[in-house]
Protein backbone atom coordinates (compact mmCIF):
# COMPACT_ATOMS: atom_id res chain seq x y z
CA UNK A 1 0.00 0.00 0.00
CA UNK A 2 1.39 3.39 -1.01
CA UNK A 3 2.29 6.06 1.50
CA UNK A 4 1.00 9.53 0.71
CA UNK A 5 3.85 11.88 1.52
CA UNK A 6 3.90 15.45 2.70
CA UNK A 7 6.79 17.87 2.22
CA UNK A 8 9.90 16.94 4.16
CA UNK A 9 8.66 13.47 5.07
CA UNK A 10 11.15 10.61 4.76
CA UNK A 11 10.44 6.93 4.24
CA UNK A 12 12.76 3.95 4.17
CA UNK A 13 12.76 2.14 0.86
CA UNK A 14 13.41 -1.27 2.35
CA UNK A 15 10.87 -3.89 1.37
CA UNK A 16 8.26 -4.96 3.87
CA UNK A 17 9.48 -8.16 5.49
CA UNK A 18 13.12 -7.30 4.92
CA UNK A 19 15.37 -7.17 1.91
CA UNK A 20 16.40 -4.21 -0.14
CA UNK A 21 14.90 -2.86 -3.32
CA UNK A 22 16.66 -3.62 -6.56
CA UNK A 23 14.69 -1.70 -9.20
CA UNK A 24 12.43 1.30 -8.76
CA UNK A 25 10.80 3.80 -11.04
CA UNK A 26 9.80 7.40 -10.44
CA UNK A 27 6.67 8.37 -12.35
CA UNK A 28 5.64 11.96 -13.07
CA UNK A 29 2.08 12.78 -14.11
CA UNK A 30 0.30 16.03 -14.85
CA UNK A 31 -2.50 17.63 -16.83
CA UNK A 32 -2.97 21.13 -18.18
CA UNK A 33 -5.09 23.21 -15.80
CA UNK A 34 -8.30 24.46 -17.35
CA UNK A 35 -7.52 28.03 -18.27
CA UNK A 36 -9.97 30.93 -18.32
CA UNK A 37 -10.76 32.22 -21.79
CA UNK A 38 -8.00 34.49 -23.03
CA UNK A 39 -8.29 37.17 -25.62
CA UNK A 40 -5.81 39.00 -27.80
CA UNK A 41 -2.39 37.78 -28.90
CA UNK A 42 -1.83 35.23 -26.13
CA UNK A 43 -5.35 33.90 -26.48
CA UNK A 44 -4.71 33.10 -30.12
CA UNK A 45 -1.35 31.52 -29.28
CA UNK A 46 -2.73 29.20 -26.62
CA UNK A 47 -6.24 28.68 -27.92
CA UNK A 48 -8.41 30.75 -25.59
CA UNK A 49 -10.70 28.76 -23.35
CA UNK A 50 -8.96 25.41 -23.84
CA UNK A 51 -6.03 24.46 -21.68
CA UNK A 52 -2.67 24.73 -23.42
CA UNK A 53 -0.37 21.75 -23.73
CA UNK A 54 2.10 21.71 -20.84
CA UNK A 55 5.58 20.30 -21.40
CA UNK A 56 6.94 19.21 -18.03
CA UNK A 57 10.23 17.32 -17.99
CA UNK A 58 11.26 14.78 -15.36
CA UNK A 59 14.96 14.56 -14.64
CA UNK A 60 17.27 12.71 -12.30
CA UNK A 61 20.46 14.32 -11.02
CA UNK A 62 23.11 11.97 -9.60
CA UNK A 63 25.28 13.38 -6.82
CA UNK A 64 28.07 12.04 -4.64
CA UNK A 65 28.33 12.34 -0.86
CA UNK A 66 30.07 15.72 -1.23
CA UNK A 67 27.08 16.95 -3.29
CA UNK A 68 29.04 17.09 -6.55
CA UNK A 69 26.99 16.52 -9.70
CA UNK A 70 28.08 13.29 -11.39
CA UNK A 71 25.53 12.80 -14.16
CA UNK A 72 22.07 13.90 -15.31
CA UNK A 73 19.31 11.84 -16.93
CA UNK A 74 16.77 13.96 -18.79
CA UNK A 75 15.05 14.19 -22.17
CA UNK A 76 18.32 15.06 -23.95
CA UNK A 77 20.22 12.21 -22.26
CA UNK A 78 17.83 9.30 -21.76
CA UNK A 79 20.33 7.06 -19.96
CA UNK A 80 23.00 7.56 -17.32
CA UNK A 81 26.55 6.97 -18.51
CA UNK A 82 26.75 3.74 -16.49
CA UNK A 83 23.38 2.51 -17.78
CA UNK A 84 21.74 2.17 -14.34
CA UNK A 85 19.11 4.89 -14.93
CA UNK A 86 16.87 5.22 -17.99
CA UNK A 87 14.26 7.80 -19.00
CA UNK A 88 11.05 6.81 -20.81
CA UNK A 89 11.28 9.78 -23.18
CA UNK A 90 9.79 13.24 -23.50
CA UNK A 91 6.03 13.82 -23.13
CA UNK A 92 5.12 17.20 -24.61
CA UNK A 93 1.52 17.57 -23.43
CA UNK A 94 0.69 15.66 -20.24
CA UNK A 95 -2.35 14.12 -21.94
CA UNK A 96 -3.67 10.78 -20.76
CA UNK A 97 -3.95 9.19 -17.35
CA UNK A 98 -1.18 7.75 -15.21
CA UNK A 99 2.51 8.50 -15.50
CA UNK A 100 3.44 10.85 -18.33
CA UNK A 101 7.20 10.43 -17.92
CA UNK A 102 9.03 7.67 -16.06
CA UNK A 103 12.60 7.31 -14.83
CA UNK A 104 13.72 3.72 -14.24
CA UNK A 105 16.49 3.08 -11.69
CA UNK A 106 18.44 -0.15 -11.19
CA UNK A 107 19.78 0.43 -7.67
CA UNK A 108 22.04 -2.63 -7.93
CA UNK A 109 23.91 -1.09 -10.87
CA UNK A 110 24.43 2.37 -9.42
CA UNK A 111 28.13 3.18 -8.94
CA UNK A 112 29.22 3.19 -5.30
CA UNK A 113 30.05 6.91 -5.41
CA UNK A 114 26.43 7.85 -6.14
CA UNK A 115 24.95 8.93 -2.79
CA UNK A 116 21.88 10.90 -3.86
CA UNK A 117 19.35 10.77 -6.70
CA UNK A 118 17.45 14.05 -7.02
CA UNK A 119 14.24 13.82 -9.04
CA UNK A 120 13.14 17.15 -10.47
CA UNK A 121 10.52 18.52 -12.82
CA UNK A 122 10.89 21.58 -15.03
CA UNK A 123 8.53 23.45 -17.33
CA UNK A 124 10.50 23.51 -20.57
CA UNK A 125 8.37 26.18 -22.26
CA UNK A 126 8.33 28.40 -19.18
CA UNK A 127 4.69 27.84 -18.29
CA UNK A 128 4.18 28.17 -14.54
CA UNK A 129 2.59 25.73 -12.14
CA UNK A 130 -0.45 28.00 -12.12
CA UNK A 131 -1.09 26.38 -15.52
CA UNK A 132 -0.54 22.79 -14.34
CA UNK A 133 -3.21 20.56 -12.81
CA UNK A 134 -3.06 17.25 -10.99
CA UNK A 135 0.73 16.99 -10.89
CA UNK A 136 2.20 14.14 -8.87
CA UNK A 137 5.26 11.97 -8.58
CA UNK A 138 5.28 8.42 -7.31
CA UNK A 139 7.88 5.82 -6.49
CA UNK A 140 7.13 2.27 -7.60
CA UNK A 141 8.89 -1.00 -6.81
CA UNK A 142 9.56 -2.06 -10.39
CA UNK A 143 10.05 -5.72 -9.50
CA UNK A 144 6.38 -6.19 -8.57
CA UNK A 145 4.71 -2.96 -9.77
CA UNK A 146 3.85 -1.89 -6.20
CA UNK A 147 3.44 1.83 -5.56
CA UNK A 148 5.51 2.69 -2.49
CA UNK A 149 4.99 6.42 -2.14
CA UNK A 150 3.13 9.24 -3.84
CA UNK A 151 3.67 12.98 -3.53
CA UNK A 152 1.27 15.69 -4.70
CA UNK A 153 2.98 18.45 -6.74
CA UNK A 154 -0.12 20.52 -7.38
CA UNK A 155 0.86 23.62 -5.37
CA UNK A 156 -0.02 26.58 -7.55
CA UNK A 157 2.47 29.36 -8.11
CA UNK A 158 4.57 31.29 -10.59
CA UNK A 159 7.44 28.77 -10.34
CA UNK A 160 8.58 26.74 -13.35
CA UNK A 161 10.36 23.92 -11.54
CA UNK A 162 10.01 21.63 -8.54
CA UNK A 163 12.50 19.42 -6.73
CA UNK A 164 10.17 16.42 -6.39
CA UNK A 165 12.05 14.01 -4.16
CA UNK A 166 15.52 12.85 -3.20
CA UNK A 167 16.50 9.22 -2.81
CA UNK A 168 19.65 8.82 -0.70
CA UNK A 169 21.81 5.98 0.54
CA UNK A 170 21.09 5.11 4.16
CA UNK A 171 23.70 2.59 5.22
CA UNK A 172 23.22 -0.43 2.98
CA UNK A 173 19.73 0.68 1.93
CA UNK A 174 17.96 3.74 0.57
CA UNK A 175 15.45 6.30 1.82
CA UNK A 176 13.26 8.79 0.02
CA UNK A 177 12.60 12.35 1.12
CA UNK A 178 9.60 14.17 -0.34
CA UNK A 179 10.82 17.70 -1.10
CA UNK A 180 8.33 19.65 -3.24
CA UNK A 181 10.49 22.79 -3.30
CA UNK A 182 9.34 25.27 -5.96
CA UNK A 183 12.05 26.98 -7.97
CA UNK A 184 12.81 28.46 -11.37
CA UNK A 185 14.09 26.19 -14.08
CA UNK A 186 13.62 25.20 -17.70
CA UNK A 187 16.20 22.38 -17.83
CA UNK A 188 17.66 19.96 -15.29
CA UNK A 189 20.89 21.85 -14.56
CA UNK A 190 18.85 24.93 -13.55
CA UNK A 191 17.62 22.90 -10.59
CA UNK A 192 21.03 22.39 -8.91
CA UNK A 193 20.78 25.29 -6.40
CA UNK A 194 17.41 24.04 -5.13
CA UNK A 195 18.66 20.43 -5.07
CA UNK A 196 21.70 21.39 -2.99
CA UNK A 197 19.49 23.36 -0.59
CA UNK A 198 17.22 20.32 -0.16
CA UNK A 199 19.99 17.83 0.61
Amino acid sequence: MAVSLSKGQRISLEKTGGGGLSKVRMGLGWDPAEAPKKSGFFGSMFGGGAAADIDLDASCLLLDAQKNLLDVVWFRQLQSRDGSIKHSGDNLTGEGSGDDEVIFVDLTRLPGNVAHLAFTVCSFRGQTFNEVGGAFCRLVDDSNNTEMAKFNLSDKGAHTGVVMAIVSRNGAGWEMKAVGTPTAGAVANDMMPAVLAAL
Side-chain angles (χ1 to χ4, degrees):
M1 182 176 167
V3 176
S4 183
L5 296 178
S6 54
K7 287 184 182 181
Q9 186 176 352
R10 295 176 185 266
I11 60 164
S12 170
L13 298 184
E14 297 309 290
K15 288 191 176 189
T16 305
L21 287 170
S22 57
K23 295 183 178 181
V24 297
R25 68 179 188 265
M26 179 69 76
L28 166 67
W30 75 93
D31 294 299
E34 285 300 323
K37 189 167 179 65
K38 296 179 180 179
S39 58
F41 176 72
F42 288 107
S44 62
M45 274 182 60
F46 294 113
D53 289 342
I54 304 288
D55 181 11
L56 296 185
D57 294 317
S59 306
C60 180
L61 290 76
L62 292 71
L63 299 95
D64 64 17
Q66 290 73 44
K67 303 181 183 180
N68 298 307
L69 183 63
L70 302 173
D71 202 356
V72 180
V73 176
W74 61 312
F75 74 90
R76 288 187 178 153
Q77 180 184 313
L78 295 177
Q79 182 170 301
S80 59
R81 288 191 287 269
D82 59 78
S84 64
I85 302 178
K86 296 181 180 179
H87 194 297
S88 64
D90 198 12
N91 181 314
L92 302 175
T93 66
E95 287 187 14
S97 60
D99 300 333
D100 295 308
E101 293 191 9
V102 182
I103 296 176
F104 301 89
V105 182
D106 186 341
L107 295 170
T108 65
R109 293 182 60 192
L110 275 175
N113 63 332
V114 175
H116 308 284
L117 303 175
F119 294 92
T120 67
V121 54
C122 305
S123 176
F124 183 69
R125 299 187 190 121
Q127 292 149 310
T128 72
F129 272 72
N130 283 324
E131 300 172 73
V132 177
F136 66 87
C137 68
R138 64 192 193 110
L139 193 73
V140 177
D141 181 346
D142 214 24
S143 67
N144 59 15
N145 201 35
T146 300
E147 184 178 282
M148 302 177 64
K150 190 168 185 177
F151 182 48
N152 187 338
L153 295 170
S154 60
D155 284 355
K156 298 297 183 187
H159 52 285
T160 56
V162 176
V163 179
M164 295 191 291
I166 296 176
V167 173
S168 300
R169 288 190 193 270
N170 180 13
W174 296 84
E175 71 173 16
M176 174 182 163
K177 176 185 177 185
V179 181
T181 301
T183 186
V187 294
N189 283 3
D190 295 346
M191 307 297 284
M192 269 300 289
V195 166
L196 293 175
L199 283 172

